Amino acid sequence: MKIRFWGVRGSIASPGPHTVRYGGNTTCIEVRTDANELIILDAGTGIFPLSQTLLAELPVQAHVFITHSHWDHIQGLPFFIPNFIPGNVLRLHGAYDPVSSQGVEQVMSVQLQYSYFPVREAEMKGAIDYVTLMPEQSIQVGSATVTPYLLNHPVINFGYRIEAGGKSVFFTGDHEPPYNIYQTGDAEFAEYQGFVDEKQAAILRGMQGVDVLIADTSYTTQEYSSKVGWGHGTFASSIDYAVRAGAKVLYCTHHEPTRSDDALEGVFAQAVADHPVAPDSLQIRLAYEGHTYEF
């Protein structure tokens, strides 16, 4: 299996001289099975440079899995070049939205309104298929099994476990570890804690024993105290998930958009120092644009 990072910033694209080393594009990850099946995790601005490389292997059948519908995870979809070329297929997978009562098809229909984009879906030459997923119900993509897990974010957010050829990867999308919204003395505390524990157990089942865990590490522990409820994790929470799940490699991603490369390396080094792990049990890495990991 091969993973390549095309976008690792969170919330908003942040190109410029201070983000050259790690990149300024928003979330997009390419996964290739050993049979070369193409799975794309999220479609932030990073999907545009990815799509340019796909022109060398037309026709393309791309299986895109959207974690959630916030702009930084979908805004590159209208610029996915194979959509404009006959013979290509984009198969878009994602969650049902209980607010709009629509499936993943709304991700394209909203963006391709004339108010926001000059080309309608009907005018695109490639085929676009839609697959609405349900939590913990696996689907097959060639040799790969993909299972969505419900994570914690202000909208429905799926984390995805991909298994193929005895190898596995889990991507969280945006995720804040679930927490009890009640105080210890509140009557509702115990019941809600049961919900939190159940959700946490399901998330860890999805991550269990993966070769690679790619996790939302937007904040430091100190920063998180003023951002509770925003739906993002910390370096500490991601390291904790990786250790508890027995992951072999942790990639920290969804980098805070105002953090320069130098600052990013600084907070990462501090987090690793504050949360030591046995070097033969877990490798902890910063994700950066263009990086490829093959295993």
Side-chain angles (χ1 to χ4, degrees), residues 82-255:
N83 285 345
F84 297 89
I85 303 171
N88 298 311
V89 177
L90 169 66
R91 187 158 287 119
L92 192 66
H93 304 73
Y96 172 81
D97 180 9
V99 176
S100 65
S101 300
Q102 295 185 61
V104 69
E105 66 277 358
Q106 74 167 330
V107 167
M108 288 297 276
S109 64
V110 170
Q111 293 190 90
L112 297 182
Q113 294 177 40
Y114 262 151
S115 300
Y116 308 115
F117 199 71
V119 182
R120 295 175 301 175
E121 183 175 343
E123 295 171 307
M124 291 185 171
K125 305 301 183 184
I128 304 177
D129 298 335
Y130 299 102
V131 181
T132 296
L133 305 172
M134 296 298 291
E136 298 187 49
Q137 292 187 11
S138 302
I139 69 164
Q140 206 68 25
V141 176
S143 63
T145 301
V146 184
T147 308
Y149 287 83
L150 191 61
L151 273 68
N152 187 40
H153 198 57
V155 295
I156 298 296
N157 180 90
F158 279 157
Y160 290 107
R161 182 183 179 110
I162 304 172
E163 299 171 286
K167 302 162 187 176
S168 56
V169 58
F170 190 100
F171 174 52
T172 67
D174 291 0
H175 174 62
E176 178 178 13
Y179 59 92
N180 201 319
I181 62 175
Y182 296 101
Q183 299 299 313
T184 307
D186 293 344
E188 300 90 348
F189 180 86
E191 181 180 0
Y192 198 85
Q193 188 59 45
F195 165 76
V196 170
D197 293 343
E198 183 180 322
K199 188 166 187 178
Q200 190 79 300
I203 293 167
L204 283 167
R205 282 199 306 273
M207 296 178 175
Q208 198 65 41
V210 291
D211 294 292
V212 180
L213 172 62
I214 306 169
D216 174 359
T217 51
S218 294
Y219 305 129
T220 65
T221 301
Q222 293 74 23
E223 291 166 343
Y224 176 69
S225 62
S226 64
K227 296 174 171 61
V228 174
W230 288 24
H232 295 290
T234 66
F235 289 97
S237 65
S238 295
I239 293 170
D240 179 62
Y241 273 124
V243 170
R244 293 172 67 186
K248 295 176 183 175
V249 179
L250 167 65
Y251 276 103
C252 301
T253 191
H254 204 273
H255 307 318

Side-chain angles (χ1 to χ4, degrees), residues 2-11 13 22-31 38-54 62-68 70-77 79-80 90 92 162 171 173-174 214 251 253-255 287-292:
K2 182 165 66 175
I3 299 168
R4 184 169 182 180
F5 295 92
W6 291 94
V8 298
R9 292 283 166 177
S11 302
Y22 290 89
N25 278 308
T26 59
T27 302
C28 182
I29 302 165
E30 175 186 4
V31 178
L38 173 60
I39 295 172
I40 300 172
L41 298 170
D42 275 338
T45 59
I47 202 172
F48 178 61
L50 164 58
S51 72
Q52 291 173 300
T53 68
L54 298 178
H63 299 268
V64 179
F65 287 80
I66 299 296
T67 59
H68 65 296
H70 283 161
W71 284 121
D72 55 322
H73 295 258
I74 65 170
Q75 64 198 131
L77 270 174
F79 300 92
F80 187 69
L90 169 66
L92 192 66
I162 304 172
F171 174 52
D174 291 0
I214 306 169
Y251 276 103
T253 191
H254 204 273
H255 307 318
Y288 63 90
E289 275 184 40
H291 175 61
T292 299

Side-chain angles (χ1 to χ4, degrees), residues 1-3 30-34 36-38 54 57:
M1 190 179 288
K2 182 165 66 175
I3 299 168
E30 175 186 4
V31 178
R32 296 276 185 164
T33 67
D34 292 344
N36 203 40
E37 290 129 345
L38 173 60
L54 298 178
E57 53 181 285

